[in-house]
Amino acid sequence: RCVTLYQSEARQQAATWNPREERVYHCQFCRRKRARAMNGFREKRAVNFGPGPAKLSVDVLERAQRELYCFEDTGVSVLEMSHRSASYTEMNKATESALRRLLSIPNNYKVLFLQGGGTGQFSAVPLNLMRGENPVADYVVTGNWSNKAAVEAAKYLKVNHVFPKLSKFSTIPDQTEWSLTPGASYVYYCANETVHGVEFPFVPDTGDVPLVCDMSSNILTKEVDVSKFGVIVAGAQKNIGSAGVTVVIVREDLIGKAHPMCPIILDYKVNSDASSVYNTPPVYSVYIMKLVFEWIDQQGGAKVMGENNRAKSGLVYTTVEEFDDVFFPTVEKPYRSRLNATFRIGCAEGNVELEQKFVSEAAKQNMISLKGHRSVGGIRVSMFNAVTKDEVQQLVKFMREFAFQLRQQQPK
């Protein structure tokens, strides 16, 4: 019998009707029908190279679908769940515990699940960490996001750019060329710049000054030593979940000294003391993040993610270098991102017509979101954790065909 028939009969017997039971009841026929539908959905899904919100694993999506109508034995969807309920409290703790395991987070660090995205942390970081009457913070500006962070921080304290403004964001100056401020409140950098495709191949050494890192686009894409950082911030929507929740990992000794002007919703101590439920949290986003953490763990953790991401980006960059008369990388080799490969087509400055053709032809083969950021143009291939090696190989095959075709059209 299908669930619709069951509901009809149940309502006729109102005295014994159990809405919770109604939600979870499905006959064998319905389950088979749903399985066939899911196979069809898998075939229709595009190969998504989006820069964020980015692709989620199909395993995660299917589990979320199964649990959408009724989560476990609660009788309600996670979308309806109270953030004060025992079920959410348990989920919140499980999500934090999963992240702690995956990153081996030391006990002297707090884990917060906040709102406002990485952009909200542009203000939260200085307001929580600035110290002294004339506070100064060092900013390592290597792309769009670190630049925006520095502009926002300048509203609250003095910002020292550790090296002169770069003519273009295609490299990272050697740390021996940096001018760090003794006694600075903190040093801030973005580990992976998604717009320009620049990624740090090292963790800066800042001595006793707290190191703050925006890991929004490369958290859990490789192993990392959390103890080297004072604060790690990361929006979830690229590698670890859906849009709406931001992870903050902060060392305990940096908590509790927020500036008086700091809005209460950005205060790390307030949120830590309230276990990230000072106000209504993004319940469903936290739930999706929990599923993603469990999926990453099942795949082998951050170590395996790192191996996969090196392999995927290697396929793209090898193809770019092989067809160096067609594809022109925009970033110096040591600093090319494993997650966001950026290049131009036709020449170093880019041939807009060819790039539009590349994006259009790729879309016809069900590969989407390859257009570069609107501020820089070109092509951007985002290969976050859920993007598979097979999908990247499909793109590389298309890149090679496109390059061969372009070569044949060029005059000899």
Side-chain angles (χ1 to χ4, degrees):
R1 298 183 304 169
C2 75
V3 68
T4 304
L5 178 60
Y6 175 80
Q7 292 171 350
S8 176
E9 292 176 350
R11 287 189 175 90
Q12 292 174 13
Q13 304 172 22
T16 59
W17 178 45
N18 184 338
R20 177 176 296 180
E21 185 179 359
E22 176 182 323
R23 283 198 171 207
V24 300
Y25 181 90
H26 284 282
C27 69
Q28 187 176 9
F29 172 76
C30 286
R31 289 195 296 270
R32 288 199 300 267
K33 184 176 180 181
R34 184 174 58 186
R36 289 195 298 270
M38 284 309 303
N39 288 334
F41 292 148
R42 280 177 178 260
E43 294 174 0
K44 293 178 182 178
R45 280 181 58 81
V47 179
N48 183 9
F49 293 104
K55 179 188 175 183
L56 289 168
S57 164
V58 173
D59 293 338
V60 169
L61 292 173
E62 290 182 351
R63 181 175 171 188
Q65 186 202 42
R66 290 195 302 270
E67 297 178 343
L68 177 64
Y69 197 56
C70 182
F71 178 71
E72 296 181 348
D73 63 348
T74 62
V76 298
S77 168
V78 178
L79 290 166
E80 306 165 305
M81 184 182 292
S82 168
H83 63 292
R84 303 297 181 190
S85 67
S87 296
Y88 181 72
T89 299
E90 182 180 347
M91 182 191 300
N92 191 43
K93 290 180 180 178
T95 306
E96 178 182 337
S97 296
L99 180 59
R100 285 186 176 277
R101 288 194 303 272
L102 287 168
L103 284 177
S104 300
I105 299 174
N107 292 332
N108 64 324
Y109 283 76
K110 296 293 187 181
V111 176
L112 310 177
F113 302 143
L114 307 180
Q115 299 177 68
T119 300
Q121 293 304 307
F122 295 168
S123 298
V125 166
L127 288 169
N128 279 276
L129 300 189
M130 59 184 183
R131 305 287 185 262
E133 294 183 2
N134 299 296
V136 178
D138 291 338
Y139 274 72
V140 186
V141 178
T142 55
N144 181 71
W145 298 113
S146 52
N147 183 62
K148 286 189 173 184
V151 170
E152 182 67 15
K155 297 177 181 178
Y156 311 109
L157 44 59
K158 180 181 178 181
V159 169
N160 171 53
H161 292 255
V162 302
F163 47 74
K165 183 178 180 180
L166 301 174
S167 59
K168 59 179 180 178
F169 295 126
S170 60
T171 188
I172 300 174
D174 189 273
Q175 194 168 349
T176 58
E177 302 174 22
W178 297 9
S179 177
L180 297 174
T181 306
S185 293
Y186 59 89
V187 177
Y188 184 106
Y189 81 109
C190 179
N192 182 72
E193 292 279 2
T194 57
V195 172
H196 296 88
V198 177
E199 185 175 20
F200 271 77
F202 63 93
V203 175
D205 181 4
T206 59
D208 295 331
V209 177
L211 179 62
V212 178
C213 181
D214 180 352
M215 287 190 190
S216 290
S217 55
N218 70 352
I219 189 171
L220 279 177
T221 64
K222 63 179 180 180
E223 294 180 298
V224 63
D225 183 355
V226 174
S227 68
K228 292 183 177 181
F229 302 89
V231 180
I232 294 172
V233 302
Q237 67 274 12
K238 300 179 188 296
N239 287 296
I240 58 174
S242 58
V245 61
T246 305
V247 171
V248 176
I249 304 169
V250 54
R251 207 171 63 214
E252 288 181 341
D253 63 293
L254 300 176
I255 297 176
K257 303 172 185 177
H259 193 279
M261 77 171 73
C262 180
I264 196 167
I265 200 61
L266 297 181
D267 191 317
Y268 292 159
K269 179 171 173 48
V270 169
N271 285 286
S272 175
D273 289 348
S275 300
S276 300
V277 289
Y278 175 76
N279 69 325
T280 306
V283 173
Y284 198 75
S285 295
V286 172
Y287 161 73
I288 292 294
M289 193 163 60
K290 173 179 174 290
L291 299 190
V292 173
F293 290 160
E294 293 171 355
W295 174 79
I296 291 175
D297 189 42
Q298 291 167 2
Q299 304 306 304
K303 181 179 179 180
V304 171
M305 292 296 108
E307 294 169 355
N308 292 345
N309 289 320
R310 282 193 299 273
K312 290 184 298 186
S313 59
L315 289 169
V316 173
Y317 288 127
T318 297
T319 305
V320 167
E321 292 173 356
E322 180 181 353
F323 297 93
D324 58 2
D325 58 330
V326 176
F327 304 120
F328 295 79
T330 62
V331 178
E332 293 179 13
K333 192 168 185 176
Y335 312 107
R336 292 176 187 169
S337 170
R338 298 166 303 123
L339 294 314
N340 309 99
T342 56
F343 55 89
R344 305 305 300 253
I345 298 178
C347 61
E349 294 74 27
N351 182 313
V352 175
E353 183 178 346
L354 288 176
E355 290 168 349
Q356 290 176 342
K357 181 179 180 182
F358 181 92
V359 172
S360 175
E361 292 298 320
K364 292 178 182 177
Q365 297 191 28
N366 210 27
M367 292 177 283
I368 64 171
S369 299
L370 290 165
K371 185 178 180 180
H373 190 272
R374 60 187 180 278
S375 65
V376 296
I379 304 298
R380 173 172 56 174
V381 183
S382 296
M383 299 165 283
F384 297 120
N385 280 344
V387 174
T388 67
K389 186 175 180 181
D390 286 345
E391 290 172 330
V392 175
Q393 288 174 329
Q394 183 179 339
L395 173 66
V396 165
K397 180 176 180 291
F398 166 73
M399 289 174 65
R400 295 178 64 85
E401 292 171 350
F402 185 90
F404 278 125
Q405 184 182 41
L406 195 60
R407 280 178 172 177
Q408 292 175 351
Q409 294 173 354
Q410 293 175 345
K412 296 181 179 180

